[in-house]
Amino acid sequence: MKNIILMGPPGAGKGTQATDLVERYHIPHISTGDMFREAIKNKTPLGQKAEAIIARGDLVPDDITVGLVKERLSQDDCANGYLLDGFPRTIPQAEALEEIGKEIGRPVNAVIDISVPEEVLIDRIGGRRVCPKCGASYHVRNMKPKVEGKCDHCGSDLIQRKDDNPESFKVRLENYYKQTAPVSDFYEARKLLRRYDGQGDKTRLQKELFAFLDTL
Ligand code: ADP
Ligand code: ZN
């Protein structure tokens, strides 16, 4: 059973690792950040509520986020497991997820916590470019696309995320240390947490994650 959470500060590489994990394990990639960005793009009521909050780097309120995840986890494609990326980010979200897991009979059984030093995060976020269509992530120096400015997967023009600016990043990082770091302790206490080093090349971490998750 692979009911997995990916945790780590903004820029830790959660989204990059998630793409390869879901392909290997055939489980859905549930990224609350991607879900919010999709809602913003489609100008839904949720998107309108979330847009300014996300642009300044703050967290979307727990009730809204929990509702969204609950609905998503109840869908059929989660029957064989799921990979949560960017959720839970607060203790109330972690508590709510525990309830949801019981209700749907699929409790979380592994929490991957990726850590990266702050100066590396700053560089990664500053150089990050993303595909607005398929969500793929690149870096202007460390993870260049094959053709400059274009997505390898779908050819779309790459953009910089609105919240990938120094001011919003600072807020995101503060929120991470204040609100999200305690969530690691929550899972540590439940003996579900495993810590990984997210520095360097993505394939080294990927190998380590495969080696562990293959055993679940
Ligand atoms: P990153 O990990 O790079 O900061 P995400 O794509 O995971 O980015 O999230 C982008 C933004 O979406 C967050 O800064 C926050 O505003 C909002 N968001 C995503 N997940 C959550 C969550 N679980 N709770 C509250 N807000 C969230
Ligand atoms: Zn793309």
Side-chain angles (χ1 to χ4, degrees):
M1 195 57 154
K2 290 176 175 56
N3 304 330
I4 306 164
I5 297 174
L6 267 188
M7 290 190 57
K14 300 183 294 289
T16 303
Q17 293 297 334
T19 309
D20 297 323
L21 291 175
V22 300
E23 194 183 313
R24 185 174 180 90
Y25 300 123
H26 309 286
I27 52 178
H29 176 197
I30 304 178
S31 157
T32 40
D34 285 350
M35 288 162 89
F36 288 133
R37 281 185 286 276
E38 189 66 22
I40 291 169
K41 197 163 76 186
N42 296 329
K43 302 197 187 316
T44 68
L46 170 70
Q48 283 166 353
K49 255 187 235 159
E51 188 164 16
I53 300 176
I54 292 180
R56 65 173 186 262
D58 272 325
L59 293 179
V60 177
D62 285 335
D63 55 340
I64 296 179
T65 309
V66 166
L68 192 70
V69 171
K70 183 171 184 179
E71 193 184 304
R72 184 66 189 84
L73 284 177
S74 307
Q75 288 169 20
D76 292 343
D77 64 338
C78 297
N80 297 315
Y82 50 80
L83 180 71
L84 284 168
D85 161 6
F87 181 94
R89 256 183 165 85
T90 66
I91 292 287
Q93 290 180 14
E95 286 167 344
L97 177 60
E98 213 163 42
E99 285 310 305
I100 296 168
K102 277 182 208 152
E103 276 171 38
I104 62 175
R106 293 193 283 281
V108 169
N109 66 341
V111 181
I112 306 295
D113 195 5
I114 306 174
S115 75
V116 174
E118 197 171 318
E119 63 274 14
V120 178
L121 298 175
I122 293 170
D123 174 66
R124 285 190 183 176
I125 293 290
R128 173 153 77 178
R129 299 293 180 274
V130 299
C131 173
K133 191 144 174 249
C134 76
S137 244
Y138 302 88
H139 188 282
V140 291
R141 281 193 327 280
N142 312 331
M143 255 195 340
K144 290 186 186 175
K146 293 195 182 89
V147 179
E148 196 184 325
K150 303 276 181 199
C151 178
D152 290 352
H153 305 289
C154 69
S156 303
D157 288 331
L158 300 179
I159 59 158
Q160 188 163 26
R161 261 169 54 176
K162 253 195 183 156
D163 56 347
D164 280 352
N165 64 73
E167 297 74 37
S168 304
F169 176 70
K170 190 162 171 274
V171 177
R172 283 155 67 200
L173 205 59
E174 278 167 13
N175 283 332
Y176 174 78
Y177 291 126
K178 247 189 275 163
Q179 313 233 56
T180 310
V183 177
S184 304
D185 303 335
F186 177 97
Y187 288 114
E188 176 118 73
R190 284 157 178 75
K191 306 214 181 320
L192 292 171
L193 193 83
R194 294 182 64 103
R195 296 181 197 273
Y196 290 87
D197 179 358
Q199 290 183 82
D201 188 73
K202 73 161 194 170
T203 47
R204 184 208 30 90
L205 175 58
Q206 187 197 77
K207 275 190 203 136
E208 290 178 27
L209 294 180
F210 285 175
F212 166 58
L213 294 170
D214 280 359
T215 68
L216 287 186

